[in-house]
Amino acid sequence: MTASAVDPSRLPRHVACVMDGNGRWAKQRGLKRTEGHAAGEEALLDVVDGALEVGVEWLTVYAFSTENWRRPTDEVRFLMRFNESLLVNRRDELHDKGVRIRFVGRRDWKVPKRLLRRMDESIDLTAGNGKLTLTIAFNYGAQAEIVDAIQAIVASGVSPSEVDEALLARHLYDPEMPDVDLWIRTSGEYRFSNFLIWQSAYAEMVFTDTYWPDFRRSDLFEAIVEFQRRNRRFGGLDD
Ligand code: IPE
Ligand code: IPE
Ligand code: MG
């Protein structure tokens, strides 16, 4: 599918994507799981180009969850180094394309200091860009995000009656992040896995059997076309 299939007047403003299936992609080819992660880099860059091509403003991708620490140490260590080098190798070209890079997730002691530094450098480098905001969810969990927000709210000393949806949203990792319109998961799994649960309360969900390393912008366009076929009611009625 090409970008021309997408109706430019009804774009999802915020697309979120669970980049899943790297391990199975590798296994299918007799490769190590980590080679599946490496192959996912091309998919990510192509999807970013696709988002730029049609004019999606916000793209958030799930790169490492708060639960992924349960994986073998070798794989976790690979993912830390891999994400660091991905940032170093790709941030200049993303910057040239007008992409603003941001992160959501817990910045705790478990994330290597060097990686945090690369994240901060990438944020600073691209802060002035306005075409597409690419948010990388790293050491991210939606439940942790909501807990962290509640801790900040309680610490601020507001009275319980002042707590509402807007206040909570202002205490999430990126208060500027709009709600998710289109929520995509690859690899044939049908679950949240703790990704952007608050922001996705009324997201349209699209699931595909494609493993992440095979996902390309054409698959993104297909998901957007499916999104444009949906009838969003937000609890109300048509018309
Ligand atoms: C997603 O692919 C990437 C990360 C979770 C970091 P997986 O590694 O979960 O691949 P599968 O689901 O085992 O195939
Ligand atoms: C979600 O995928 C996390 C990322 C893609 C980074 P997982 O592969 O970790 O999710 P589960 O364990 O299958 O639910
Ligand atoms: Mg998985």
Side-chain angles (χ1 to χ4, degrees), residues 159-215:
S159 77
S161 63
E162 286 176 83
V163 178
D164 60 9
E165 288 86 342
L167 182 84
L168 199 139
R170 281 201 298 280
H171 287 84
L172 297 175
Y173 293 135
D174 184 353
E176 287 180 22
M177 179 187 282
D179 281 350
V180 176
D181 299 300
L182 170 58
W183 194 105
I184 301 170
R185 183 167 188 154
T186 59
S187 86
E189 305 288 1
Y190 301 85
R191 52 178 173 267
F192 270 108
S193 299
N194 210 4
F195 186 44
L196 298 179
I197 288 176
W198 177 275
Q199 299 88 339
S200 300
Y202 269 100
E204 293 295 332
M205 309 185 84
V206 170
F207 297 91
T208 161
D209 288 338
T210 308
Y211 292 143
W212 177 253
D214 288 330
F215 198 87

Side-chain angles (χ1 to χ4, degrees), residues 19-25 33 37 62-65 68 71 75 79 185 187 189 211-212:
M19 309 186 288
D20 196 17
N22 297 350
R24 280 162 287 166
W25 181 93
R33 290 181 53 82
H37 298 313
Y62 207 3
F64 193 87
S65 76
N68 285 147
R71 296 194 177 191
E75 182 169 346
L79 286 167
R185 183 167 188 154
S187 86
E189 305 288 1
Y211 292 143
W212 177 253

Side-chain angles (χ1 to χ4, degrees), residues 53-232:
E53 195 179 336
V54 290
V56 167
E57 289 172 55
W58 289 75
L59 174 68
T60 303
V61 294
Y62 207 3
F64 193 87
S65 76
T66 46
E67 287 71 42
N68 285 147
W69 298 105
R70 295 179 185 146
R71 296 194 177 191
T73 321
D74 280 357
E75 182 169 346
V76 169
R77 208 177 289 140
F78 174 89
L79 286 167
M80 295 302 139
R81 272 199 297 261
F82 171 67
N83 280 286
E84 184 191 337
S85 53
L86 191 151
L87 279 179
V88 172
N89 296 332
R90 301 294 194 160
R91 61 186 172 199
D92 290 329
E93 80 183 76
L94 290 169
H95 180 47
D96 291 342
K97 289 174 181 172
V99 175
R100 178 170 67 164
I101 301 173
R102 288 188 174 182
F103 294 87
V104 287
R106 260 192 189 153
R107 294 177 58 106
D108 61 17
W109 56 272
K110 281 187 279 188
V111 183
K113 285 250 159 32
R114 250 194 11 215
L115 176 52
L116 289 174
R117 239 184 348 256
R118 301 290 170 245
M119 289 172 162
D120 288 336
E121 291 163 5
S122 308
I123 295 166
D124 291 345
L125 172 71
T126 62
N129 294 337
K131 269 200 169 158
L132 168 71
T133 301
L134 171 65
T135 306
I136 300 170
F138 197 88
N139 193 20
Y140 175 86
Q143 292 184 338
E145 179 176 38
I146 294 166
V147 167
D148 290 352
I150 293 170
Q151 286 189 357
I153 290 169
V154 171
S156 76
V158 298
S159 77
S161 63
E162 286 176 83
V163 178
D164 60 9
E165 288 86 342
L167 182 84
L168 199 139
R170 281 201 298 280
H171 287 84
L172 297 175
Y173 293 135
D174 184 353
E176 287 180 22
M177 179 187 282
D179 281 350
V180 176
D181 299 300
L182 170 58
W183 194 105
I184 301 170
R185 183 167 188 154
T186 59
S187 86
E189 305 288 1
Y190 301 85
R191 52 178 173 267
F192 270 108
S193 299
N194 210 4
F195 186 44
L196 298 179
I197 288 176
W198 177 275
Q199 299 88 339
S200 300
Y202 269 100
E204 293 295 332
M205 309 185 84
V206 170
F207 297 91
T208 161
D209 288 338
T210 308
Y211 292 143
W212 177 253
D214 288 330
F215 198 87
R216 290 293 178 275
R217 76 183 80 185
S218 57
D219 302 289
L220 171 70
F221 301 154
E222 229 169 274
I224 294 176
V225 166
E226 167 63 24
F227 166 85
Q228 294 181 332
R229 277 197 287 264
R230 305 265 179 98
N231 181 8
R232 302 182 83 188

